[in-house]
């Protein structure tokens, strides 16, 4: 069945470093893909999405490109800040529901 | 956007008891989703609650264990029945921003610990 695989965390980086969080998926067809973020003490919120192949989603300096050839949707940011410390979830849409990755905890040190 | 309020935000419960979690949305929505997030794990959909009909449960979840009510378009409850330590989780209520968008709004969750 459909599934999402994320790189294991925690990922620890220094402020202003380049970030990549890997996400690959297995699915029938070309589902919409999402990144959600959960900041400490807050609820999950949508970070960005892409609905078709080669689409690039972007928000708050984060980007992810829908790559059907590699079935990937890696999250990137050029220069991270301490405030980006959070848990990041990759997900795909199947019918009426989302299939979620395990989440990757990101820790940014000043 | 939608603002979702859940309560309780956390609770410690005794084995064998039941607890009802409430979810209130600030706008009318067709579907409400209940998720479980076990410690260190991803989200798993428990059921989808539609107003005026029975909830639709995902594989591995049954109505006797997780009864759901959906009395109107802004409110739902999830009950965790006859709890055991394995039910210790965060339970999340969510709604979709628009039909078939996949863009979900979440409450802050209800963290249950079962002793």
């Amino acid at each position: 069945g459909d599934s999402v695989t994320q790189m294991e965390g925690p990922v620890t980086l220094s402020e202003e470093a380049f970030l990549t969080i890997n996400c690959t998926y297995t699915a029938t067809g070309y589902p919409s893909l999402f990144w959600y973020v959960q900041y400490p003490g807050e609820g999950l919120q949508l970070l960005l999405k892409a609905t078709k192949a080669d689409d690039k989603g972007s928000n708050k300096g984060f980007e992810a490109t829908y790559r059907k050839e590699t079935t990937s949707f890696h999250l990137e940011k050029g220069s991270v800040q301490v405030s980006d410390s959070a848990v990041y979830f990759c997900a795909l849409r199947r019918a009426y529901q989302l299939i979620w990755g395990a989440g990757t905890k990101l820790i940014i040190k000043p | 956007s939608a603002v979702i309020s859940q309560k309780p935000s956390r609770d410690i419960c005794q084995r064998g008891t039941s607890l009802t979690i409430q979810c209130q949305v600030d706008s009318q929505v067709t579907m409400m989703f209940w998720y479980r997030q076990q410690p260190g794990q991803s989200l798993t959909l428990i059921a989808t609650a539609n107003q005026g009909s029975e909830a639709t449960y995902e594989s591995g979840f049954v109505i006797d264990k997780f009864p759901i009510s959906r009395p109107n378009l802004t409110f739902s409850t999830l009950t965790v029945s006859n709890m055991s330590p394995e039910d210790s989780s965060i339970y999340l209520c969510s709604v979709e921003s628009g039909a078939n968008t996949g863009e979900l709004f979440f409450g802050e969750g209800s963290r249950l610990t079962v002793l």
Side-chain angles (χ1 to χ4, degrees):
Chain A
D2 296 356
S3 65
V4 175
T5 302
Q6 287 182 237
M7 66 189 292
E8 284 192 28
V11 173
T12 303
L13 296 172
S14 297
E15 207 165 19
E16 300 183 1
F18 184 86
L19 168 72
T20 300
I21 300 178
N22 290 337
C23 170
T24 58
Y25 66 90
T26 302
T28 303
Y30 302 105
S32 294
L33 301 174
F34 304 84
W35 277 100
Y36 281 80
V37 59
Q38 188 171 33
Y39 297 104
E42 298 184 17
L44 271 163
Q45 57 187 275
L46 177 66
L47 180 60
L48 54 83
K49 75 171 195 179
T51 58
K52 60 183 187 294
D54 300 324
D55 264 4
K56 178 185 286 188
S58 62
N59 186 25
K60 298 182 179 181
F62 290 90
E63 293 183 340
T65 302
Y66 191 137
R67 303 281 189 202
K68 66 177 182 179
E69 302 85 2
T70 54
T71 61
S72 65
F73 193 54
H74 303 323
L75 183 68
E76 297 181 336
K77 187 174 185 182
S79 177
V80 292
Q81 306 300 312
V82 173
S83 57
D84 293 325
S85 298
V87 181
Y88 293 82
F89 292 89
C90 184
L92 66 83
R93 181 177 173 82
R94 181 189 70 191
Y96 58 89
Q97 67 170 290
L98 296 186
I99 307 301
W100 298 82
T104 302
K105 184 173 184 177
L106 175 65
I107 300 170
I108 307 299
K109 296 188 173 181
Chain B
S1 66
V3 177
I4 301 173
S5 302
Q6 271 187 249
K7 55 182 180 181
S9 57
R10 59 178 64 229
D11 207 339
I12 299 174
C13 307
Q14 296 299 316
R15 182 195 299 261
T17 62
S18 299
L19 183 78
T20 296
I21 301 166
Q22 298 179 6
C23 178
Q24 178 75 52
V25 187
D26 68 345
S27 57
Q28 294 185 340
V29 294
T30 304
M31 291 196 292
M32 296 176 76
F33 304 93
W34 285 100
Y35 282 90
R36 182 173 72 183
Q37 185 179 15
Q38 293 182 301
Q41 297 187 28
S42 186
L43 283 74
T44 303
L45 183 64
I46 297 171
T48 302
N50 294 310
Q51 193 268 336
S53 64
E54 292 271 336
T56 301
Y57 289 84
E58 298 301 311
S59 176
F61 298 96
V62 295
I63 188 171
D64 289 347
K65 176 66 176 178
F66 297 100
I68 287 171
S69 77
R70 183 76 202 275
N72 57 52
L73 291 172
T74 64
F75 187 79
S76 178
T77 67
L78 169 76
T79 298
V80 186
S81 302
N82 188 25
M83 287 185 284
S84 66
E86 293 72 34
D87 294 319
S88 297
S89 280
I90 299 173
Y91 292 85
L92 296 159
C93 172
S94 73
V95 303
E96 203 168 25
S97 69
N100 301 317
T101 63
E103 298 178 24
L104 299 180
F105 295 104
F106 285 87
E108 292 187 8
S110 299
R111 183 184 293 269
L112 301 188
T113 301
V114 184
L115 303 178

